[in-house]
Amino acid sequence: MMTKRLYILIVGLAMNVVAFAQSSLLPYKNPVLSVDERVKDLLSRMTLEEKVGQLLCPLGWEMYEIKDDEVHPSEKFKRLMKEKNAGMLWATYRADPWTKKTLENGLNPELAAKAGNALQKYVIENTRLGIPLFLAEEAPHGHMAIGTTVFPTGIGMAATWSPVLIEEVGNVIAKEIRSQGAHISYGPVLDLSRDPRWSRVEETFGEDPVLSGRLGAAMVIGLGSGDLSREYATIATLKHFLAYAVPEGGQNGNYASVGTRDLHENFLPPFQEAIDAGALSVMTSYNSIDGIPCTANYYLLTQLLRNEWRFRGFVVSDLYSIEGVHESHFVAPTIEEAAMQVVSAGVDIDLGGNAFMNLTHAVQSGKISEAVIDTAVCRVLRMKFEMGLFEHPYVNPKSATKVVRSEEHIRLAHKVAQSSIVLLKNKNSILPLNKKIKKYLDEIAKTEKKIADLQQYLRGVQAALKQEEDNEMIRCIRGMKMENGQLYDLLDGIQNGTIKFQVSRESAPLYSQKKIRRNIRMVKWKKMNKKMAGLLLGVMMLFTASTTAFAYVDESAEASKVETIQTEQSTDKEEK
């Protein structure tokens, strides 16, 4: 009996401690309260500058520094938070020529998770209100980052005609993004591509609104259906709103000549279907429709999207598209005016630019009401509370290495790639194919076999070079340029043993000084050392892409019945 009473006493005491702790929390930090109550409390505590900061989404790949196996916030990130109070970042984990992030200086999955944790920790501990960051990542056909699973592009996934497969793809993308500490996935792309001149056709699901809608909805369901309480749910961002893929002249960002009926029958339904499936973010497009930039189109972004479709998420501009309202469309005399037009039309997030920084001055000077800013901020904060970032801002970096690009994910990517292959049967010659098509296919097959043979030669080259690298009789001739036709003639000659390179006695040795002129003799002969023929062929194919031929030559061989063609070239740079 005493034991039972003691147990009840301990439980009651624990409950009182928890209740006291919760009561001492600021309301917006109290998970017991509703999302509405927490948003209202937090908004009431924010300055105008802090509110505007939540609407900014700067480029993220310069916001971290890698030291050994740890990741730390960069000085640029610290200045950003001090000066702008940014509420989210885009493409923090991205690696490509634009970002200048590579395998050497970029983030693998474990480091990406550490980077996300480090940025969150800094924001939570070093800003006045400790509002966690949103990290948005590009992910139309897999998370665009190092070491992730890559699926076929949109047009390839569309060729599967399988919503079931695409839902699985969405599930993988969501798992890989969330396990690395990011929250927002940019994709799917629901543009209807009806002009082959447009430069981004491969990103889309094609030209058909029904297929695009079905696959877009399937992707959103895989990404979490908008239920942000789920461990691996992301905020799916639909791209690009609207009629982006049919620009005049096929030029990216040009105006779209689309009628109202065409918009409602074809271009809008895929977006509506994906929003009904749970998409919580929409990205505007660069183009204009009927003279109104889509980034500043009140009818599309407020009247249709929110009032008619009951969309409850947030709208993000495309990269620098707010500046484009002033600089490209010329419908706003200043960047500040462009920012006011856009936020009033229904855009909540400024991606990559600084246009929304002008909203602080616009409010202070009475040009726009602070209530407009509050509306946009509430949409962002609501998503952060629903996702549980205030309670669980961090991820486990070790789990990222197990989840990202797992064997299961790789198998799915392979399955989707296989399913995207479409074979056409030309029954009753319905397709206008040339009768000589078999001849062309045979030529392709021969070419493929030749490529395979050359790859085998290359492997032999690597082994031969290892054996011969210390032999003084092997010399390198650099700088010879030739047309592709000549190159293939030369390769044929080397392969059948009728052509050999020989270095003239007066030519310079390997690693000579710059701008030395060389005499190269192309020599034909009857017999040739097969090993050296393979060696020459392999090394030359290794550098075919730059059409620069390298030849490794055995000078001790004797040539007979020679025809010589002399070529002179100079080089400005030593090759390694």
Side-chain angles (χ1 to χ4, degrees):
M1 191 69 176
M2 285 294 294
T3 305
K4 184 177 181 181
R5 288 179 179 177
L6 182 61
Y7 174 76
I8 293 173
L9 182 63
I10 292 172
V11 170
L13 183 63
M15 291 176 66
N16 286 332
V17 170
V18 171
F20 176 77
Q22 290 179 344
S23 65
S24 64
L25 287 174
L26 293 173
Y28 77 90
K29 291 186 177 181
N30 188 348
V32 176
L33 298 180
S34 69
V35 169
D36 286 339
E37 290 175 304
R38 299 176 76 181
V39 170
K40 182 178 179 181
D41 177 72
L42 179 53
L43 188 68
S44 70
R45 299 173 186 274
M46 298 174 70
T47 65
L48 176 60
E49 289 76 12
E50 288 169 335
K51 291 175 182 178
V52 171
Q54 287 297 306
L55 308 183
L56 302 179
C57 185
L59 312 181
W61 56 81
E62 293 182 335
M63 302 305 170
Y64 63 85
E65 294 175 350
I66 303 174
K67 294 181 181 178
D68 298 324
D69 290 330
E70 297 301 322
V71 187
H72 308 277
S74 66
E75 291 301 317
K76 184 171 184 177
F77 177 72
K78 295 176 182 178
R79 289 195 303 272
L80 173 72
M81 297 312 301
K82 182 179 179 180
E83 297 169 3
K84 298 183 179 180
N85 303 287
M88 64 182 74
L89 297 175
W90 172 63
T92 306
Y93 305 156
R94 183 167 175 163
D96 56 16
W98 180 30
T99 63
K100 298 181 181 178
K101 296 294 182 180
T102 65
L103 294 174
E104 285 72 30
N105 65 354
L107 299 167
N108 61 37
E110 183 176 356
L111 290 178
K114 288 182 178 181
N117 287 346
L119 298 177
Q120 293 286 23
K121 187 174 189 295
Y122 183 85
V123 169
I124 292 170
E125 296 180 358
N126 294 277
T127 60
R128 190 176 71 89
L129 296 170
I131 304 173
L133 280 171
F134 260 154
L135 298 181
E137 292 292 310
E138 205 70 38
H141 60 102
H143 180 199
M144 188 183 291
I146 293 171
T148 58
T149 306
V150 180
F151 294 93
T153 56
I155 202 71
M157 287 193 286
T160 68
W161 292 82
S162 174
V164 175
L165 273 181
I166 305 309
E167 182 178 334
E168 292 182 47
V169 170
N171 186 259
V172 167
I173 292 173
K175 281 184 176 180
E176 297 198 350
I177 285 180
R178 289 303 305 276
S179 67
Q180 295 176 86
H183 318 96
I184 302 171
S185 51
Y186 281 1
V189 178
L190 299 182
D191 302 308
L192 298 185
S193 53
R194 296 181 170 181
D195 190 334
R197 297 172 297 178
W198 185 55
S199 58
R200 302 176 66 174
V201 171
E202 82 286 350
E203 297 181 41
T204 74
F205 290 136
E207 65 180 0
D208 185 76
V210 176
L211 180 63
S212 294
R214 294 290 186 276
L215 297 185
M219 176 74 81
V220 170
I221 292 170
L223 292 168
S225 300
D227 181 1
L228 301 184
S229 64
R230 291 165 54 177
E231 181 181 8
Y232 291 124
T234 66
I235 295 174
T237 302
L238 311 179
K239 302 164 63 173
H240 303 84
F241 204 64
L242 184 68
Y244 180 46
V246 288
E248 188 71 15
Q251 296 183 19
N252 192 45
N254 236 356
Y255 67 90
S257 299
V258 183
T260 302
R261 179 173 177 175
D262 200 10
L263 282 178
H264 285 268
E265 284 190 354
N266 296 300
F267 292 91
L268 286 167
F271 286 90
Q272 185 174 14
E273 192 167 351
I275 287 170
D276 290 342
L280 292 173
S281 176
V282 170
M283 180 181 288
T284 66
S285 55
Y286 291 118
N287 59 291
S288 64
I289 300 174
D290 199 21
I292 303 174
C294 290
T295 303
N297 193 316
Y298 179 85
Y299 168 74
L300 290 178
L301 303 179
T302 297
Q303 185 174 330
L304 179 71
L305 194 60
R306 300 189 187 281
N307 298 343
E308 295 183 24
W309 292 0
R310 300 301 176 187
F311 174 66
R312 70 180 192 89
F314 54 73
V315 175
V316 57
S317 73
D318 205 343
L319 188 65
Y320 307 129
S321 67
I322 302 176
E323 284 87 348
V325 171
H326 163 64
E327 297 170 353
S328 301
H329 296 284
F330 308 109
V331 296
T334 63
I335 297 293
E336 182 179 288
E337 177 65 29
M340 290 191 295
Q341 285 187 23
V342 166
V343 75
S344 299
V347 173
D348 307 303
I349 307 296
D350 181 356
L351 177 58
N354 285 310
F356 270 14
M357 286 295 292
N358 294 278
L359 292 176
T360 303
H361 177 263
V363 171
Q364 291 170 342
S365 59
K367 297 178 181 178
I368 190 173
S369 170
E370 188 170 351
V372 177
I373 311 301
D374 289 350
T375 299
V377 175
C378 285
R379 291 167 182 157
V380 176
L381 294 179
R382 172 175 291 278
M383 298 297 108
K384 291 186 177 183
F385 282 118
E386 287 188 15
M387 191 170 275
L389 290 188
F390 284 81
E391 291 71 53
H392 306 288
Y394 308 119
V395 296
N396 183 353
K398 293 299 181 184
S399 68
T401 61
K402 297 177 183 178
V403 172
V404 179
R405 197 170 168 76
S406 65
E407 289 299 322
E408 180 185 357
H409 294 179
I410 294 172
R411 284 195 297 272
L412 177 62
H414 187 247
K415 184 178 180 180
V416 175
Q418 285 181 320
S419 301
S420 71
I421 299 172
V422 178
L423 297 179
L424 299 178
K425 185 175 182 180
N426 195 23
K427 189 175 181 179
N428 299 325
S429 299
I430 193 171
L431 296 176
L433 300 177
N434 194 308
K435 292 182 180 180
K436 295 181 180 179
I437 187 70
K438 188 177 184 304
K439 177 183 176 183
Y440 301 145
L441 294 175
D442 289 343
E443 289 297 322
I444 292 173
K446 290 178 183 177
T447 302
E448 289 177 345
K449 185 178 184 306
K450 190 169 184 178
I451 291 173
D453 291 342
L454 292 175
Q455 289 174 335
Q456 185 176 353
Y457 273 113
L458 286 175
R459 288 190 288 270
V461 167
Q462 292 176 337
L465 288 179
K466 269 190 172 181
Q467 296 174 6
E468 301 288 353
E469 60 185 359
D470 297 327
N471 191 334
E472 293 184 0
M473 305 302 290
I474 305 297
R475 315 286 292 270
C476 178
I477 304 302
R478 293 171 298 168
M480 192 174 94
K481 303 278 185 180
M482 62 186 69
E483 300 295 327
N484 284 340
Q486 292 176 307
L487 181 59
Y488 283 113
D489 289 343
L490 181 62
L491 291 174
D492 288 338
I494 293 174
Q495 194 167 11
N496 61 35
T498 61
I499 294 180
K500 174 186 168 62
F501 278 118
Q502 186 179 19
V503 183
S504 61
R505 289 296 173 184
E506 64 272 17
S507 76
L510 186 61
Y511 304 122
S512 59
Q513 62 181 351
K514 294 182 179 179
K515 294 187 179 180
I516 292 181
R517 302 182 69 80
R518 291 168 171 80
N519 294 319
I520 301 173
R521 295 175 181 174
M522 188 185 301
V523 183
K524 291 185 180 180
W525 67 332
K526 285 184 177 179
K527 294 183 179 180
M528 180 179 183
N529 182 300
K530 288 185 178 180
K531 173 183 173 183
M532 295 311 301
L535 188 61
L536 287 168
L537 178 60
V539 176
M540 291 189 62
M541 284 307 298
L542 188 62
F543 296 93
T544 300
S546 61
T547 66
T548 301
F550 278 62
Y552 287 81
V553 185
D554 185 346
E555 290 185 300
S556 63
E558 292 185 3
S560 60
K561 298 185 179 180
V562 263
E563 290 180 13
T564 302
I565 303 172
Q566 291 200 352
T567 309
E568 291 188 351
Q569 290 290 342
S570 63
T571 181
D572 293 331
K573 189 174 182 181
E574 292 301 312
E575 301 290 342
K576 188 174 179 181

